Amino acid sequence: MALIVQKYGGTSVGNTERIKNVARRVAEFCKRGDQVVVVVSAMSGVTDGLIKLAREITDLPSEREMDMLLATGEQQTIALTAIALHAAGVPAVSLTGAQAGIVTDGVHTKAKIQNITPAAVHRMLDAGNVVIVAGFQGQTEAGQITTLGRGGSDLTAIALAAALKADLCQIYTDVDGVYTADPRIVPTAKKLSEIAYDEMLELAGSGAKVMQLRSVEFAKKFKVVFEVRSSLNENPGTIVKEETTSMEGVVVRGISLDKNQAKVTLFGVPDQPGRAARIFRALGDAAINVDMIVQNVSHAGGKPVTDLSFTADKSDLPKARRVIEELQKELGIREVQADENIGKLSIVGVGMRSHSGVAAKMFDVLAREGVNIEMISTSEIKISVVIDLAKGESAMRALHEAFIG
Ligand code: ADP
Ligand code: ASP
Ligand code: MG
C-alpha cells in the first residue's frame, strides 16, 4: 500500500466530464489499495474570471479580498471532485487548505507556507477516504485566508507530499510532461524523461508555467521527487529530481519564454549611494518580485545620473508604478516609463557549467533573426535576454532549432 499525492490542474478538472475522468483515475489507485490525497486547481478559466471581475471594479483591489475571492475557485472543484468520487462508489472527503492544516504567512496573494499539520488528512485517510484538498490556498495563524501565487496548487501538492512523507507525488496536467520548450509554441519540442531540480527551477522562473516556481523550490529543499504527466493518457511523464552526472552531457535542456514580464525604466536617477537601495527596498516591501536589473550611468549636464531598468510581473505593474511614484519626487527621478511589450527568452541546462561559447551562439542566432537584445542576465546554468514581445515566439523556435534540433 502506497501513499500517493496527485495534483490535477485547471484543464484536468475543466468540466464535469473531466472531473469524472479524475474520479475514475483516482478510483483505480484506490482499487490497488493505495491511499490517495488529491489536490485540485480551480476549473480552467475560473481564477482568471474572478480576477477580471475584481479588475472591473478597480485596478488595485485589496489583496486580502482577492484571496477571499480566488480561494472560492478551488473550493468548487474539491466539492465536485468529492461528489464525482462518491458517484463512483469511492469514499471521499474534501478539505479547504485551512482544514488540511496548511498554515501560511500573511502576505496576501503570494503567501508562503510556514508549516503543515496534516493530522486531519491522516485521520481521514485512515478512515478509508480519498482526501481532496483545495490547491493554492492556506490560512494564517490568525485565521485569514491566503493564496500561494498563481499556479500555487503545484505547491500545495508538493508541500503535502513532503508533510505526509508520501511515497509518490504526481502532477497531472494537460501535457505529457516537461518538454524542451512549450509544445504549444515549439511543435518540435521533445518530452524529457527526467530533469534536474535546478533546471526545472530556472525554466519555471523564466516562464515555463508547467510548474510553479515556488513548488520546485520547495521540492528541491525537501527532496520531493515528483512526476509531471498527463491526466488524459497513460504515457510516462517527466521525473523531476536531484541532478545526476549523466545530465551534464546536455548543454541546453530547455528553452522558455516569459510573456508576463514588464520592464520599468527610471530615467535620470541621481547617481548617489543609497538610491537603488531605497527603490528596491520599497518594491520589496510591497511584495513585488523584481527579476532583472540593469543600470547605465551617464553624465547629463555634468552631474552623474543613472537610467535604471528592472523587470517584474505584469500583474505587479500598477503596484510598482504607485511605489515608484511615491519616491519619484524625493529621490529626484526625472521620468518613469513602463514597457509591457517585452518577452524574456531563456536557455537552461546544467551542462552550461562545463561548456563555453553558449552565450555567443545564442546571440548569433538572435542576430540572424534580427532580434535586438534589450537586457541580458546569466546564472551558472541559464542565459536570459529581454527582447521585443512580438519576436518572442519566432526567436524561441530559432533557438530551439539551433540548440536542440
Ligand atoms: P495546469 O492547469 O495543469 O497547472 P498549466 O497550464 O499551469 O497546467 O501548465 C501546463 C502548460 O504549460 C502546458 O499546457 C504548456 O502549454 C505549458 N508549458 C510551458 N512550458 C512548458 C514545457 N517546457 N513543457 C511542458 N509544458 C509547458
Ligand atoms: N487556480 C490557481 C491559478 O489559476 C492555482 C492553480 O491553478 O494552480 O493560478
Ligand atoms: Mg499550473
Side-chain angles (χ1 to χ4, degrees):
M1 185 183 80
L3 172 52
I4 305 175
V5 173
Q6 300 186 332
K7 176 254 171 176
Y8 292 90
T11 316
S12 304
V13 293
N15 55 43
T16 46
E17 274 315 309
R18 290 277 169 87
I19 291 176
K20 285 195 249 175
N21 171 57
V22 168
R24 267 193 302 275
R25 298 187 78 103
V26 173
E28 286 299 313
F29 284 89
C30 296
K31 259 192 230 150
R32 287 185 356 193
D34 295 327
Q35 290 189 319
V36 191
V37 174
V38 180
V39 174
V40 287
S41 290
M43 294 162 82
S44 62
V46 166
T47 308
D48 285 339
L50 293 170
I51 293 173
K52 191 161 164 281
L53 286 178
R55 290 264 155 88
E56 280 173 20
I57 301 173
T58 168
D59 243 8
L60 278 173
S62 143
E63 289 179 335
R64 178 190 183 279
E65 301 310 328
M66 284 310 286
D67 279 353
M68 194 63 98
L69 180 65
L70 297 193
T72 63
E74 270 69 11
Q75 212 167 318
Q76 295 175 3
T77 329
I78 50 170
L80 290 169
T81 308
I83 290 166
L85 278 160
H86 296 164
V90 180
V93 57
S94 66
L95 296 176
T96 63
Q99 288 174 325
I102 298 173
V103 176
T104 72
D105 64 19
V107 182
H108 284 291
T109 78
K110 290 178 188 166
K112 289 206 166 71
I113 294 179
Q114 283 182 332
N115 60 72
I116 298 185
T117 315
V121 177
H122 275 305
R123 206 168 46 243
M124 287 167 179
L125 284 173
D126 291 343
N129 293 295
V130 170
V131 178
I132 302 150
V133 179
F136 175 58
Q137 55 173 262
Q139 184 175 289
T140 65
E141 294 280 6
Q144 299 292 323
I145 291 175
T146 51
T147 64
L148 310 175
R150 294 307 305 266
S153 300
D154 295 334
L155 177 58
T156 306
I158 285 174
L160 269 175
L164 294 165
K165 300 191 173 50
D167 301 296
L168 195 61
C169 178
Q170 300 176 314
I171 307 291
Y172 285 92
T173 181
D174 56 4
V175 275
D176 283 1
V178 180
Y179 279 67
T180 49
D182 187 341
R184 287 178 209 265
I185 303 175
V186 183
T188 53
K190 297 171 181 60
K191 184 172 72 181
L192 298 163
S193 57
E194 58 178 24
I195 184 169
Y197 288 130
D198 284 336
E199 293 172 325
M200 193 67 246
L201 267 178
E202 294 283 20
L203 286 174
S206 317
K209 75 161 188 164
V210 61
M211 286 301 299
Q212 187 216 28
L213 174 61
R214 279 167 48 193
S215 70
V216 186
E217 286 169 353
F218 198 102
K220 182 184 173 189
K221 189 165 167 196
F222 293 97
K223 297 192 168 43
V224 179
V225 175
F226 62 94
E227 183 185 17
V228 181
R229 56 186 298 162
S230 171
S231 65
L232 303 169
N233 61 47
E234 300 303 324
N235 298 342
T238 304
I239 305 289
V240 188
K241 59 176 196 179
E242 208 114 36
E243 186 179 330
T244 57
T245 41
S246 67
M247 288 179 176
E248 290 205 355
V250 175
V251 183
V252 175
R253 179 96 46 212
I255 302 178
S256 58
L257 173 64
D258 191 344
K259 301 177 183 174
N260 286 316
Q261 296 262 305
K263 183 175 80 171
V264 179
T265 304
L266 316 184
F267 292 98
V269 184
D271 190 19
Q272 290 158 6
R275 288 292 197 267
R278 280 295 303 280
I279 293 163
F280 290 103
R281 187 173 309 115
L283 291 166
D285 287 347
I288 295 165
N289 292 327
V290 170
D291 182 24
M292 289 193 198
I293 301 174
V294 170
Q295 177 176 262
N296 290 315
V297 179
S298 61
H299 290 260
K303 270 200 183 140
V305 292
T306 69
D307 293 342
L308 192 63
S309 295
F310 66 87
T311 61
D313 271 2
K314 259 181 205 160
S315 61
D316 277 337
L317 197 54
K319 213 161 57 162
R321 268 184 197 280
R322 197 190 51 196
V323 168
I324 303 284
E325 276 161 15
E326 276 168 14
L327 286 174
Q328 189 168 0
K329 240 206 182 126
E330 184 196 332
L331 298 188
I333 300 166
R334 180 163 49 81
E335 192 189 341
V336 182
Q337 268 182 21
D339 182 357
E340 294 194 62
N341 293 312
I342 61 156
K344 186 175 78 168
L345 193 52
S346 308
I347 59 174
V348 171
V350 289
M352 275 185 209
R353 284 196 207 111
S354 46
H355 289 78
S356 55
V358 185
K361 181 169 170 184
M362 180 185 194
F363 301 158
D364 271 346
V365 172
L366 294 173
R368 237 187 297 129
E369 294 290 306
V371 176
N372 185 43
I373 300 173
E374 297 177 29
M375 293 166 106
I376 301 171
S377 82
T378 62
S379 81
E380 236 193 338
I381 65 162
K382 180 185 75 169
I383 305 168
S384 299
V385 294
V386 167
I387 60 171
D388 177 7
L389 182 59
K391 294 192 170 157
E393 295 196 354
S394 58
M396 187 183 195
R397 286 188 283 270
L399 287 178
H400 194 276
E401 179 62 35
F403 282 103
I404 294 166

